[in-house]
Amino acid sequence: PPPPVMKPAAPAKPVVTAAPALNAEAETKQLQATHDQMKKQNFFEVLGLKRDADPGAVKIAYLKAARSYHPDTVAPGSPEALAKLKADIFALISEANRTLSDAVLRADYAAELDAGGTGSKVDMEKIFRGEELFQKGRILVQARKYPDALKLFEEAVSCNPDEAEFYAWRGYAKFLQSKDKKLVTADVMKDLNLCVSKNPNVASAFYFLGYVQKANGDEKAALANFKKCVALDPKHIDAQRELRSAKK
């Protein structure tokens, strides 16, 4: 019989190895360099956008940056300097997004740049401080230390009264820390609605609205707000849980 035909051996697949993770010291140095560079840039440059970028491009650029620099991405046990740098960078990114996502604010900002200004009419140190306080307040809410969280949210609002999300969390903390829920509901709803009026894309605000409405027996309104929350943030676990519970 004829000798068997030997198939050529398949070429070996290259071994792909993941890039080694930066150690904390190297990451801190890298973040410091990034922060120093961003402080010299205008908001379009901070998000890596051209001046004619549309609102969709602004949102995509912001979300991409947030995935890298959001304070929640700080690994447990990281140095305080690293965590602060991420909070500062995220604050700058958030301010860029807030300005460029709002048609009026963006037009004023672009006009100032065209006139030769830096576009910076705000105290960035206060912006950074407000974001740092806000992130610490969120951690305290998770730890159920509501009065302490509320104090930090109050300070965050005073540092940056233009940041819509601060009002939502302040209202939520007010509701959670109060023993008489009905007594504080009007004040809480004022904060939550203020957030939505300033920025209708804050998913957590709609979850908080639903939470307060459900606690006060308005199941229909609560369900509508839980749906709005998930529409804005499909990964919002608490709102998803509420929607699943409503279907049972």
Side-chain angles (χ1 to χ4, degrees), residues 188-214:
V188 169
M189 293 297 285
K190 182 179 178 180
D191 264 350
L192 297 178
N193 287 321
L194 179 58
C195 170
V196 172
S197 68
K198 284 178 170 287
N199 184 354
N201 296 315
V202 178
S204 58
F206 292 102
Y207 172 72
F208 299 155
L209 280 167
Y211 184 93
V212 173
Q213 289 162 338
K214 182 180 178 180

Side-chain angles (χ1 to χ4, degrees), residues 18-34 68-69 73-79 82 85-86 89:
L22 292 175
N23 60 38
E25 183 179 356
E27 186 178 4
T28 301
K29 288 181 179 179
Q30 187 180 76
L31 288 170
Q32 184 65 63
T34 298
S68 297
Y69 299 112
T73 64
V74 177
S78 295
L82 187 154
L85 279 168
K86 279 211 171 185
I89 292 173

Side-chain angles (χ1 to χ4, degrees), residues 141-142 146 150 153 166-178 181 184 187-189 191-192 204-205 207-209 211-212 238:
V141 167
Q142 293 171 353
Y146 306 131
L150 180 56
F153 292 141
F166 293 177
Y167 294 95
W169 282 84
R170 184 176 74 175
Y172 187 49
K174 285 178 183 177
F175 192 73
L176 293 174
Q177 66 93 37
S178 177
K181 306 298 186 188
V184 299
D187 190 32
V188 169
M189 293 297 285
D191 264 350
L192 297 178
S204 58
Y207 172 72
F208 299 155
L209 280 167
Y211 184 93
V212 173
D238 293 324

Side-chain angles (χ1 to χ4, degrees), residues 27-248:
E27 186 178 4
T28 301
K29 288 181 179 179
Q30 187 180 76
L31 288 170
Q32 184 65 63
T34 298
H35 185 232
D36 291 344
Q37 181 182 13
M38 283 184 169
K39 288 195 295 184
K40 300 174 185 177
Q41 296 175 323
N42 64 48
F43 286 158
F44 291 98
E45 294 168 337
V46 165
L47 293 179
L49 296 169
K50 295 182 179 179
R51 288 283 294 273
D52 61 352
D54 61 30
V58 173
K59 182 176 181 179
I60 291 172
Y62 167 71
L63 292 175
K64 182 178 179 181
R67 281 197 295 270
S68 297
Y69 299 112
H70 195 285
D72 286 351
T73 64
V74 177
S78 295
E80 184 177 347
L82 187 154
K84 185 178 186 304
L85 279 168
K86 279 211 171 185
D88 288 348
I89 292 173
F90 184 69
L92 189 53
I93 290 167
S94 296
E95 182 64 14
N97 176 61
R98 185 185 72 85
T99 301
L100 301 185
S101 296
D102 184 290
V104 175
L105 292 177
R106 177 172 175 164
D108 290 344
Y109 183 79
E112 187 182 352
L113 290 179
D114 290 339
T118 63
S120 178
K121 293 183 178 179
V122 296
D123 183 343
M124 290 310 299
E125 288 302 319
K126 292 189 74 174
I127 296 293
F128 295 148
R129 176 62 177 161
E131 184 64 30
E132 182 180 5
L133 291 166
F134 172 66
Q135 296 300 336
K136 288 181 178 179
R138 288 182 58 184
I139 292 172
L140 289 176
V141 167
Q142 293 171 353
R144 299 187 178 185
K145 297 180 179 180
Y146 306 131
D148 293 334
L150 180 56
K151 290 179 183 178
L152 293 184
F153 292 141
E154 293 280 11
E155 290 185 56
V157 168
S158 67
C159 286
N160 184 9
D162 292 327
E163 180 53 60
E165 193 171 9
F166 293 177
Y167 294 95
W169 282 84
R170 184 176 74 175
Y172 187 49
K174 285 178 183 177
F175 192 73
L176 293 174
Q177 66 93 37
S178 177
K179 294 181 180 179
D180 190 337
K181 306 298 186 188
K182 290 188 179 298
L183 184 64
V184 299
T185 292
D187 190 32
V188 169
M189 293 297 285
K190 182 179 178 180
D191 264 350
L192 297 178
N193 287 321
L194 179 58
C195 170
V196 172
S197 68
K198 284 178 170 287
N199 184 354
N201 296 315
V202 178
S204 58
F206 292 102
Y207 172 72
F208 299 155
L209 280 167
Y211 184 93
V212 173
Q213 289 162 338
K214 182 180 178 180
N216 282 284
D218 193 346
E219 297 281 350
K220 184 176 181 181
L223 183 61
N225 279 310
F226 292 143
K227 288 180 178 179
K228 288 179 183 178
C229 175
V230 172
L232 289 169
D233 180 7
K235 295 183 179 180
H236 197 289
I237 297 174
D238 293 324
Q240 288 178 340
R241 185 184 300 115
E242 292 290 350
L243 293 179
R244 287 195 299 269
S245 177
K247 291 179 181 179
K248 294 179 180 179

